[in-house]
Structures are given as structure tokens and as C-alpha cells.
């Protein structure tokens, strides 16, 4: 039977969805199969955005329709019949999961005094303990509630829950006054002897997106980058004054409402946005339905600006009213909001206490999500400084925002500071915690040129020639790592593998006793993680290089918590085959035994004999590796690259890498098709490698 938790609130606008996301994320790191269930939805036909948000989380493999119980109308018409149907539909979800996050009703617009009681009744019938979410905002949301007010809300809520025989697991005071967190927790805990946590209000989480505002005012995008419509708007400025009085009132991330016939104000706002001395705007709404003159349109087009310009037929009052009434919500398409919500939850909720209260034991399996979470946790444990050379790539900026908000690493991003920060702001990505460094920065350029010329003096390198070379972002980033200004580098989203790793070969060089730089992929299968090497760097390794790859791969596996049992792959197993290719693998295996007798290794061995216990016992009885291999060493790049891609596609595995190994300091290459998630994982891996290098 799945362990479940019922998340409900005592009133609307509590931010319950962000708490549900935090709980779901926590559970997904502990067990294989996590489910979500929404007992009451507004409609069966109109999709529930909270449920969609949770279903979009990695590791949840359920369909939307099976996760919905009944509608509000069903409850109103026949509460008992609705409850019976909820239990029936929940049981179907429970049977497929190890843990289920159940999200109670919303209150908003359709709330009633008995709503908490009915949620408690559902929780009791589902056998799920309640995580009660209390809002720390007053009803008009103009101020935070005092600890005494929070105590009173708790005193009103607990009797309703216990009267329905619901068991209260813990309480979260969400959107609380940041200066009253501890007193609020103490006030709530005084009402009932359960854990209580308080999460502070973050205005960003309730800020609407520019696209949401555009929809609210029935607007259209006149000009600008549609990618920037996803940015959150942190306030509204009505440009009804003179230019001199409006400009000082501009705010960071603000929406400026300008009558479309006030072209001078429009040009002033665009100029201010482009200036380093004024706040970066989220967008401009031109109201009134007036068309811009051809001259102004041509002038704006010549500015080559990306700020969204939205037009609406509404008047100033109606436009302002609709914008101020537009409420932001946590949704799957806002990565920064997701990162912010998860970071707040992780910081202020003791997840170990929560899991212990649920009596949830960690799974023995390692899912892709568990492996990725383990990477993040290990990187956080000892923060390292990683340089990202490709600051002009949106994926890098989005990944940087997540890495910084989740506290995974310290970052330096290469590029022009105004351009990088401006683009990040336009994307709605917070990279305030990152250092931005230009590869043409004269102080660093001269220092790097002198050092590069020294290292490459045997190749005839001069300082003058080096001054040009080190301004290349890959060389600049590598020199930072070489001189200790960063602990590692991640690049390749917009550059070739050769461009990324060549400077490392020249400057950082290989570890003692390692003749070749190679790579591995972490292949995260449904229930375990394997290591494949080399699938990206060495085309046709010699026996000596193959032995190096095996030794390096075993070390990498051990560094990341995988017990290395190394299979030296070939098209034959044991003594059954012959030929140059088999002899290469046989010789490499003997070299590994000779150089590192502590490594558990066997070969030549075929993949099936290495991976399948029954086949391994048949073909290589008594082997410590056959049927139990965790590290697979391929005889050449052609075999390795094709195999990892075949397994990735056919087994739906998550391939993390390539992870370079053999260099004195960590540098890692990204695929040019890398997703933001890939970049985050690679930075975490690089940080962990740097932790090992520092020891």
C-alpha cells in the first residue's frame, strides 16, 4: 500500500500548490513511483492547472484523467456519493504508486465554511494524514498575519480536522512574514503537538507573467521577443504624467501602461529600458487602440529592441484594473517560479522530519530522478566554483538561474556583463548571484596570455600571440580553472567537443599515470545507474589506452557512489574467441589486473554476459563481474557511442554525460543539443569532481 499525504488549507490563496510541489519533489527522491491525486476539481472537462503542474514533475507516470476524483458540482449534489467515487478512483492511483500526494480543494471563488471539514472527511476515508497549509497573509493580502492571528487560525482549523477523524501530520504557514517565522511556528505548535514550519512570502511567486497580462487585457504582441512573454511582471506603472515624472517611478520587472498616442513616452520608456541606469522592464502595454504612426513604427524597428510591446483596445482605467487583478500562479512553464518554490520549501521545511512522520523508507532502487537529486545534494555539500563560457546561450542562463536558486554551485558566466544580465532579466532568470566576466577583460587577458605562453613555450608560443588565443571563451575558461580562479568548467552547448576540451589538453593536462583523457556516460535506467565508457572521446584506443579508460571509469564510478565491477566488452566471452580485436581487450584486461589489482574487472566479455545474471553464470561461471557489471568498457568509440544511444532510446534511460576523466582538473563537454536539465546535471557532476580534486 502506498504512503499518502493529504495537503489541504483552511482558506484560499495559501500557496498550497507550491507546498504540494515541495512534498512531491521530496518524495520522488526517496521512492520509485510517486503519484498525485486531486479529489475535487472544478471541472472534468477543463484541466486543473495544479494537477498539470504536479503531473509534469519528473518521475510521475500517471495520466491526467485517472488522477481526478469528482467535481464541486458532484459534491454539492450528493456528498456521500461523491466521497465514494473519490475513494474508488484514489484506490486505482494508490495501487500503482509507492507514495501519493493528494491535493485538496482550492476554496477560491467556490469556497464554503464546510470545505475544510469535507477535505478532512476525504483524508480520513483515504487513510492519509493531513499536511495543513495556513496562509500568512491577511484576507486583503495587504499585510502579513501576526503570530497570534496564525494561532487563532490554527485553533479554528484543528477541531474541524479532528471532528472528521483526520490525523494532522504537520502544519506549514505559507506566505508568512519573514521577520516572524519562528514566533509563528511556536504559536502554531502551541495549539497542537505536531511539527510546524513557516515559509516566507516571496512576491515573485504571485507575480503574473507578461503573457498572462497580455491575455487579461485582450492584447496582442505588436513587437518584441515572444520568449520574453514568460517573464514575471513585478508591478505596474501608469505613464499618465510627464516623462520627467514617470521615469523615476519605473521599477525592475515592471509593466508600463502608456496611451498609444503618447509616442514620446513610449520612446522614453524604451530608452530607459535599454539604459544601464534605469530598471529593466518586463513589457509595455499600449492602451487605447490608437495605431502608432509609420514614423514611430520605423523608429522603434530601428532600435532592434526585444522588449514585448502589447497593444489593447481598453482605456487606461480598464487596462490598469485588469492588470492589477491578474494573479500569477505556479505552473510548469515557469522554471524560475518552480526553482523559487522548491528552494523556499527546502530551506524552511525539515524534509527528514516530514519523511519520518510518514514512516517512509527509502527505496533500494536508484531511479534517474534519485540519481540526479543525489548529484545536486553532493554538489551542495561543498560548494565549488564553476565557469560557464557560453553566456550568450539562453539555455546556459536558464540553467544558471536554477543552479543559483537551488544553491548547487558558485558560478562565473563569460560574456559582456550588460548583455548577459539584460538577456537574463528579459528571460525572467535571476542570475544576480553569478559573477559575469568578459573574456576581453584586460587584466585577466594579460595574466592568462603570460601563463599560456609559459605553458606552451615548447611549441614556440609568444605572449603576443597568446593574447589573441586566450580571448576565446574555451581558452579563457580553461585558464581560469588552471590558475585556480574556478574549480571546473562546463561548455559545449554552442561549441564542438574539440573546441571545448582542446585547451584542457594543452594547459591542464592529464593526471599522473594516465595516458589518455576519456569519458563516461552515467546511464540512469529505471532502477539502477550504470557507467559506459568511452563513448565520446577516443576513437580507437590501444590496449594501454583501454586499460587507462577502465581504471579511470572505475574511479569515476566510485566517486559517484557506484560500486565498480568492470566489464571489458568484446564480441566473445572468456577464451571462446580470438582475433586482433579480442586480443586487444584481453591485453587491456590483464593490464588493469596488473596496475590496479584492487579493481574488480573481467574480460573479454559480451554485453549480455556482463548484464544478465543467467547468461553470465552460463558463459562465465564464478566471475565477480558476469551478470553483475556496473561499469561497461567498450572496445572502441563506434561501439560505445552507438550502444549508449541505443540503450537511451530503447530503454528510455537518462544518459548523463559525457563526463570527462583523466584531466588534473574537471572540464566537461555538453552536447550542442543539451537541455537545461543536462546542463544542471553536468555542472553538479563537475562540482563533485572538483571536490575530489581538492582532497
Amino acid at each position: 500500500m502506498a504512503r499518502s499525504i493529504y495537503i489541504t488549507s483552511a482558506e484560499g490563496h495559501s500557496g498550497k500548490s507550491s507546498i504540494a510541489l515541495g512534498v512531491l519533489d521530496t518524495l520522488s527522491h526517496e521512492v520509485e513511483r510517486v503519484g498525485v491525486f486531486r479529489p475535487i476539481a472544478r471541472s472534468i472537462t477543463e484541466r486543473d492547472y495544479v494537477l498539470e503542474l504536479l503531473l509534469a514533475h519528473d518521475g510521475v507516470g500517471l495520466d491526467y484523467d485517472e488522477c481526478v476524483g469528482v467535481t464541486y458540482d458532484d459534491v454539492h449534489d450528493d456528498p456521500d456519493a461523491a466521497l465514494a467515487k473519490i475513494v474508488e478512483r484514489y484506490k486505482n492511483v494508490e495501487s500503482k504508486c509507492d507514495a501519493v500526494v493528494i491535493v485538496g480543494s482550492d476554496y477560491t471563488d467556490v469556497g464554503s465554511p464546510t470545505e475544510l471539514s469535507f477535505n478532512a472527511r476525504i483524508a480520513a476515508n483515504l487513510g492519509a494524514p493531513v499536511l495543513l497549509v495556513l496562509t500568512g497573509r491577511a484576507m486583503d493580502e495587504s499585510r502579513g498575519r501576526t503570530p497570534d492571528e496564525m494561532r487563532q487560525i490554527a485553533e479554528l482549523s484543528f477541531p474541524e480536522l479532528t471532528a472528521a477523524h483526520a490525523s494532522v501530520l504537520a502544519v506549514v504557514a505559507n506566505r508568512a512574514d519573514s521577520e516572524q517565522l519562528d514566533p509563528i511556528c511556536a504559536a502554531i505548535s502551541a495549539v497542537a503537538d505536531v511539527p510546524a514550519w513557516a515559509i516566507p512570502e516571496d512576491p515573485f511567486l504571485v507575480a503574473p507573467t507578461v503573457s498572462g497580462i497580455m491575455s487579461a487585457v485582450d492584447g496582442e504582441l505588436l513587437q518584441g521577443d515572444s520568449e520574453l512573454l514568460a517573464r514575471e511582471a513585478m508591478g505596474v506603472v501608469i505613464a499618465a504624467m510627464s516623462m520627467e515624472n514617470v521615469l523615476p517611478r519605473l521599477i525592475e520587472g515592471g509593466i508600463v501602461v502608456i496611451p498609444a498616442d503618447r509616442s514620446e513616452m513610449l520612446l522614453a520608456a524604451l530608452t530607459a529600458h535599454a539604459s544601464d541606469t534605469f530598471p529593466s522592464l518586463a513589457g509595455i502595454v499600449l492602451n487605447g487602440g490608437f495605431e502608432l504612426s509609420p514614423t514611430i513604427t520605423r523608429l522603434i524597428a530601428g532600435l532592434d529592441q526585444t522588449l514585448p510591446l502589447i497593444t489593447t483596445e481598453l482605456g487606461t482605467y480598464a487596462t490598469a484594473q485588469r492588470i492589477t487583478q491578474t494573479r500569477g500562479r505556479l505552473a510548469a512553464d515557469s522554471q524560475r517560479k518552480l526553482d523559487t518554490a522548491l528552494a523556499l520549501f527546502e530551506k524552511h521545511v525539515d524534509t527528514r522530519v516530514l519523511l519520518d512522520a510518514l514512516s517512509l523508507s527509502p527505496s533500494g532502487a536508484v531511479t534517474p530522478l534519485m540519481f540526479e537529486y543525489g548529484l545536486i545534494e553532493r554538489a551542495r555539500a561543498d560548494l565549488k566554483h564553476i565557469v560557464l563560457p557560453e553566456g550568450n546561450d539562453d539555455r546556459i542562463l536558464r540553467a544558471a538561474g536554477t543552479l543559483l536558486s537551488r544553491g548547487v554551485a558558485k558560478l562565473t558566466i563569460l560574456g559582456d556583463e550588460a548583455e548577459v544580465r539584460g538577456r537574463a532579466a528579459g528571460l525572467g532568470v535571476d542570475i544576480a548571484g553569478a559573477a559575469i566576466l568578459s573574456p576581453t577583460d584586460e587584466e585577466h587577458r594579460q595574466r592568462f596570455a603570460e601563463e599560456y605562453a609559459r605553458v606552451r613555450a615548447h611549441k614556440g608560443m609568444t605572449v603576443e600571440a597568446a593574447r589573441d588565443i586566450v580571448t576565446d571563451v574555451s581558452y579563457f575558461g580553461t585558464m581560469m580553472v588552471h590558475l585556480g580562479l574556478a574549480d571546473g568548467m562546463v561548455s559545449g552547448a554552442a561549441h564542438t567537443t574539440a573546441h571545448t576540451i582542446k585547451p584542457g589538453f594543452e594547459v591542464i593536462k592529464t593526471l599522473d599515470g594516465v595516458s589518455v583523457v576519456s569519458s563516461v556516460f552515467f546511464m540512469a535506467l529505471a532502477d539502477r545507474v550504470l557507467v559506459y565508457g568511452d563513448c565520446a572521446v577516443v576513437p580507437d584506443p590501444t590496449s594501454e589506452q583501454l586499460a587507462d579508460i577502465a581504471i579511470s571509469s572505475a574511479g569515476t564510478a566510485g566517486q559517484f557512489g557506484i560500486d565498480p565491477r568492470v566489464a571489458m566488452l568484446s564480441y566473445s566471452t572468456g577464451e571462446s574467441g580470438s582475433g586482433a580485436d579480442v586480443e586487444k581487450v584481453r591485453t587491456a584486461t590483464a593490464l588493469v589486473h596488473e596496475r590496479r589489482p584492487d579493481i574488480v574487472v573481467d574480460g573479454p566479455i559480451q554485453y549480455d554476459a556482463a548484464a544478465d545474471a543467467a547468461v553470465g553464470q552460463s558463459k562465465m561461471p564464478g566471475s565477480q563481474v558476469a551478470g553483475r557489471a556496473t561499469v561497461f568498457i567498450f572496445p572502441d568509440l563506434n561501439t560505445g557511442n552507438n550502444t549508449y544511444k541505443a540503450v537511451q532510446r530503447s530503454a528510455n534511460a537518462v544518459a548523463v554525460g559525457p563526463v570527462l576523466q583523466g584531466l588534473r582538473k574537471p572540464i566537461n563537454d555538453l552536447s550542442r543539443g543539451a537541455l537545461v536539465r543536462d546542463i544542471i546535471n553536468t555542472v553538479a557532476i563537475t562540482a563533485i569532481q572538483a571536490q575530489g580534486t581538492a582532497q
Side-chain angles (χ1 to χ4, degrees):
M1 179 185 294
R3 294 294 300 176
S4 301
I5 183 169
Y6 196 103
I7 302 173
T8 189
S9 53
E11 54 192 317
H13 300 309
S14 64
K16 182 171 74 266
S17 58
S18 66
I19 305 304
L21 178 67
V23 172
L24 177 65
D25 190 64
T26 299
L27 295 177
S28 67
H29 303 149
E30 299 292 319
V31 297
E32 290 182 69
R33 304 171 302 164
V34 183
V36 294
F37 186 68
R38 190 79 148 130
I40 310 173
R42 298 185 183 282
S43 166
I44 294 297
T45 55
E46 294 181 17
R47 294 174 78 85
D48 182 286
Y49 84 89
V50 174
L51 183 54
E52 287 195 317
L53 163 72
L54 300 178
L55 287 172
H57 190 281
D58 292 328
V60 181
L62 299 172
D63 294 329
Y64 179 94
D65 292 340
E66 64 184 320
C67 298
V68 178
V70 299
T71 67
Y72 283 90
D73 288 340
D74 293 331
V75 175
H76 181 269
D77 294 341
D78 190 337
D80 290 336
L83 181 57
K85 187 174 182 180
I86 288 170
V87 173
E88 177 187 353
R89 293 186 65 81
Y90 166 75
K91 289 298 181 181
N92 176 60
V93 171
E94 183 189 43
S95 68
K96 301 177 180 180
C97 303
D98 300 311
V100 182
V101 176
I102 309 167
V103 186
S105 55
D106 283 336
Y107 291 78
T108 312
D109 301 329
V110 291
S112 72
T114 62
E115 192 160 352
L116 179 58
S117 295
F118 195 73
N119 276 281
R121 190 178 170 195
I122 297 171
N125 278 273
L126 299 185
V130 169
L131 177 62
L132 179 63
V133 181
L134 304 178
T135 178
R137 305 302 297 173
M139 290 297 290
D140 61 3
E141 300 203 2
S142 61
R143 63 176 180 84
R145 282 174 168 157
T146 65
D148 189 58
E149 288 174 321
M150 296 301 295
R151 177 187 58 77
Q152 293 177 37
I153 298 293
E155 287 177 340
L156 292 172
S157 303
F158 274 91
E160 287 196 63
L161 295 169
T162 55
H165 308 291
S167 170
V168 180
L169 183 79
V171 180
V172 174
N174 196 28
R175 305 184 62 201
D177 184 338
S178 61
E179 297 182 358
Q180 296 285 328
L181 299 183
D182 289 338
I184 285 172
C185 291
I188 294 171
S189 293
V191 177
D193 187 21
V194 295
W197 301 290
I199 298 177
E201 166 85 323
D202 190 320
F204 179 76
L205 288 178
V206 295
T209 62
V210 178
S211 61
I213 288 173
M214 183 168 71
S215 176
V217 300
D218 299 324
E220 295 181 357
L221 182 64
L222 175 67
Q223 189 177 329
D225 188 345
S226 60
E227 285 285 315
L228 306 188
L229 292 174
R231 183 180 182 181
E232 280 72 21
M234 302 306 297
V236 59
V237 177
I238 309 299
M241 306 176 188
S242 65
M243 185 189 313
E244 292 81 358
N245 291 315
V246 170
L247 291 180
R249 288 173 166 79
L250 297 180
I251 60 174
E252 186 70 26
I255 286 283
V256 183
V257 177
I258 303 174
D261 59 351
R262 291 281 305 277
S263 55
E264 82 290 351
M265 192 62 246
L266 170 60
L267 294 175
L270 289 173
T271 303
H273 173 71
S275 169
D276 294 339
T277 58
F278 282 88
S280 168
L281 302 177
I284 294 175
V285 175
L286 300 173
N287 71 283
F290 307 106
E291 289 191 13
L292 296 178
S293 72
T295 302
I296 296 299
T297 300
R298 183 158 53 93
L299 178 58
I300 294 173
L303 296 176
D304 191 29
Q305 63 86 31
T306 58
L307 183 69
L309 301 184
I310 296 165
T311 61
T312 176
E313 298 288 328
L314 299 176
T316 299
Y317 176 77
T319 300
Q321 184 181 47
R322 291 199 185 186
I323 291 175
T324 55
Q325 290 177 349
T326 303
R327 185 178 181 83
R329 64 187 190 185
L330 192 63
D333 59 355
S334 177
Q335 188 60 48
R336 184 180 170 189
K337 278 188 175 176
L338 297 182
D339 292 337
T340 301
L342 289 174
L344 286 169
F345 187 89
E346 291 168 348
K347 181 177 181 180
H348 296 283
V349 174
D350 190 331
T351 56
R352 193 68 260 164
V353 170
L354 181 65
L355 291 169
D356 288 345
L358 280 171
S359 301
L360 193 68
S361 300
S363 169
V366 180
T367 68
L369 200 59
M370 292 176 188
F371 179 68
E372 291 174 344
Y373 178 71
L375 297 177
I376 299 299
E377 285 295 284
R378 288 190 59 187
R380 281 176 175 161
D382 179 15
L383 285 185
K384 293 301 177 184
H385 185 173
I386 307 301
V387 58
L388 303 174
E390 297 161 320
N392 59 349
D393 192 297
D394 287 356
R395 293 168 296 170
I396 295 294
L397 297 180
R398 294 184 193 278
T402 296
L403 290 162
L404 292 167
S405 68
R406 305 294 297 277
V408 179
K410 301 173 186 177
L411 299 179
T412 291
I413 303 172
L414 300 189
D416 178 83
E417 182 163 13
E419 292 179 3
V420 171
R421 294 202 186 278
R423 182 60 183 177
L427 292 169
V429 174
D430 182 6
I431 59 168
I436 311 297
L437 186 58
S438 170
T440 58
D441 175 82
E442 190 54 40
E443 179 182 349
H444 288 86
R445 181 183 184 184
Q446 184 62 29
R447 180 185 176 187
F448 292 173
E450 290 172 1
E451 176 63 12
Y452 183 73
R454 184 191 68 80
V455 171
R456 302 292 289 172
H458 64 289
K459 294 290 186 179
M461 180 58 59
T462 64
V463 173
E464 192 57 36
R467 279 178 56 82
D468 290 333
I469 292 172
V470 298
T471 59
D472 177 279
V473 291
S474 289
Y475 277 93
F476 195 94
T478 300
M479 294 305 298
M480 287 185 65
V481 176
H482 172 63
L483 291 171
L485 301 178
D487 299 308
M489 182 180 89
V490 173
S491 189
H495 294 90
T496 64
T497 295
H499 186 276
T500 297
I501 66 178
K502 180 184 175 185
F505 293 165
E506 294 179 352
V507 178
I508 293 177
K509 301 180 181 178
T510 59
L511 291 163
D512 292 340
V514 176
S515 65
V516 65
V517 173
S518 58
S519 72
V520 296
F521 278 90
F522 291 108
M523 301 300 294
L525 304 177
D527 60 350
R528 64 193 185 280
V529 179
L530 304 176
V531 175
Y532 283 8
D534 174 12
C535 305
V537 178
V538 187
D540 188 15
T542 64
S543 294
E544 290 75 13
Q545 290 174 328
L546 204 56
D548 265 354
I549 293 170
I551 292 170
S552 294
S553 300
T556 300
Q559 188 178 16
F560 287 87
I562 300 168
D563 184 20
R565 293 186 293 274
V566 184
M568 307 293 287
L569 298 177
S570 178
Y571 59 77
S572 72
T573 295
E575 302 297 328
S576 65
S578 61
D581 291 337
V582 177
E583 289 305 318
K584 179 176 81 169
V585 175
R586 186 171 285 123
T587 301
T589 305
L591 287 171
V592 176
H593 279 300
E594 178 185 329
R595 290 168 53 188
R596 289 291 303 276
D598 57 308
I599 293 177
V600 178
V601 59
D602 222 334
I605 187 171
Q606 292 162 287
Y607 191 100
D608 59 346
D612 186 280
V615 177
Q617 177 62 27
S618 172
K619 290 189 174 184
M620 193 175 275
S623 169
Q624 292 181 274
V625 173
R628 304 175 61 232
T630 57
V631 179
F632 295 77
I633 305 302
F634 296 93
D636 55 58
L637 188 59
N638 181 53
T639 307
N641 192 271
N642 278 293
T643 302
Y644 106 76
K645 289 180 178 177
V647 172
Q648 181 184 28
R649 295 294 185 270
S650 61
N652 199 28
V654 176
V656 180
V659 178
L660 296 186
Q661 52 191 15
L663 287 170
R664 292 180 182 273
K665 295 184 178 181
I667 289 176
N668 278 308
D669 177 44
L670 298 165
S671 162
R672 276 171 283 176
L675 303 176
V676 171
R677 175 180 178 179
D678 300 327
I679 299 168
I680 293 168
N681 287 336
T682 304
V683 169
I685 285 170
T686 307
I688 295 168
Q689 288 180 310
Q691 292 170 358
T693 301
Q695 293 174 357

